């Protein structure tokens, strides 16, 4: 049985409505993302999202029925605008020191751009949706450590210290300490991190 044909006028109205819905959804995701960057997930309210997006609270609830929906949309918007580094892209770099430098350039650059957001996420780690996101970050960093550890000449006695040092250089907290507490540039922080990893192999 054939479906009844939708008149052109009706098709136009349906498309316009769908486009409007998509536009509103994106505006809400952008508003939530901006609030997560400035005040953090735990302090992002429905009222604040609605006010920033220029809509009513009910509109926010229609698009984001719960906290998880808000966080998912916010993350998708943020990743689309500024994707985080992908460890698998470093596999093709044969030299381990060059691979490590490349990884740190991307990671530390991302940390600098996302400094306030990441600080807010770690502050709000008790929230289930944030805890899940941070666990995904930890999985990414474990994958990064696995990729970056290849090719170094490390004796059995140094292997434990090497792994701990390498993992430490990848952490947001490490970059934050070097950049803000020690006032190092990213170039200086990367140089120090590479030296520490090299020293841990001996």
């Amino acid at each position: 049985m054939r479906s009844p044909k939708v008149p052109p006028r009706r098709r136009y109205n349906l498309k316009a409505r769908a486009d409007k819905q998509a536009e509103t959804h994106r505006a809400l995701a952008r508003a939530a993302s901006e609030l997560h960057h400035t005040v953090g997930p735990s302090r992002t309210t429905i009222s604040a999202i609605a006010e920033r997006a220029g809509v009513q609270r009910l509109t926010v609830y229609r698009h984001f029925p719960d906290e998880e929906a808000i966080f998912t949309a916010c993350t998708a918007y943020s990743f689309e605008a500024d994707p985080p580094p992908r460890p698998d892209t470093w596999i093709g770099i044969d030299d381990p020191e060059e691979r490590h430098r490349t990884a740190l350039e991307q990671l530390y650059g991302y940390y600098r751009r996302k400094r306030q957001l990441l600080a807010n996420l770690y502050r709000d780690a008790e929230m289930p949706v944030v805890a899940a996101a941070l666990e995904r970050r930890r999985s990414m960093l474990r994958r990064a450590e696995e990729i970056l550890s290849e090719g170094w000449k490390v004796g059995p006695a140094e292997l434990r210290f090497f792994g701990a040092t390498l993992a430490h250089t990848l952490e947001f907290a490490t970059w934050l300490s070097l950049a803000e507490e020690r006032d190092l540039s990213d170039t200086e922080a990367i140089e120090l991190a590479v030296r520490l990893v090299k020293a841990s192999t001996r």
Side-chain angles (χ1 to χ4, degrees):
M1 182 177 178
R2 291 183 178 180
S3 301
K5 289 185 177 181
V6 179
R9 178 73 177 176
R10 176 66 172 162
R11 286 200 301 269
Y12 174 81
N13 289 339
L14 289 173
K15 183 180 185 306
R17 184 177 179 183
D19 289 345
K20 180 63 176 176
Q21 288 288 326
E23 181 183 335
T24 300
H25 188 89
R26 184 171 179 79
L28 292 171
R30 180 173 61 250
S33 179
E34 290 170 353
L35 288 165
H36 282 193
H37 276 74
T38 53
V39 301
S42 68
R43 301 173 188 175
T44 295
T45 64
I46 296 298
S47 295
I49 295 173
E51 182 179 356
R52 185 172 285 258
V55 300
Q56 299 296 316
R57 283 165 49 91
L58 184 58
T59 301
V60 182
Y61 283 116
R62 286 196 187 108
H63 285 263
F64 303 141
D66 53 35
E67 197 172 72
E68 185 175 357
I70 293 174
F71 195 86
T72 298
C74 173
T75 301
Y77 180 87
S78 181
F79 280 10
E80 180 185 351
D82 187 4
R86 294 172 48 233
D88 286 350
T89 62
W90 308 326
I91 293 175
I93 304 174
D94 293 330
D95 181 73
E97 184 176 331
E98 180 187 352
R99 191 188 317 128
H100 188 209
R101 285 183 185 278
T102 299
L104 293 182
E105 286 170 1
Q106 294 180 15
L107 282 170
Y108 287 5
Y110 187 78
Y111 291 162
R112 185 169 292 280
R113 296 192 303 275
K114 299 291 187 178
R115 182 251 179 264
Q116 191 58 53
L117 172 64
L118 290 168
N120 289 339
L121 291 177
Y122 282 106
R123 184 201 66 202
D124 295 343
E126 77 284 352
M127 294 177 65
V129 291
V130 177
L134 292 177
E135 180 53 41
R136 290 191 292 272
R137 273 210 95 249
R138 283 189 285 271
S139 295
M140 181 275 287
L141 291 176
R142 286 193 292 269
R143 175 59 176 160
E145 181 186 350
E146 177 185 322
I147 290 169
L148 297 176
S149 64
E150 291 293 328
W152 292 92
K153 295 180 180 179
V154 187
E158 290 78 28
L159 196 57
R160 185 162 174 263
F161 290 145
F162 166 77
T165 305
L166 178 60
H168 187 64
T169 66
L170 307 179
E171 294 287 348
F172 170 67
T174 300
W175 171 83
L176 194 63
S177 174
L178 295 175
E180 298 200 351
E181 294 180 22
R182 295 299 175 179
D183 197 28
L184 297 184
S185 68
D186 288 353
T187 300
E188 291 172 323
I190 291 168
E191 182 60 33
L192 176 57
V194 171
R195 289 187 186 185
L196 287 173
V197 169
K198 289 174 70 175
S200 72
T201 65
R202 296 192 289 271

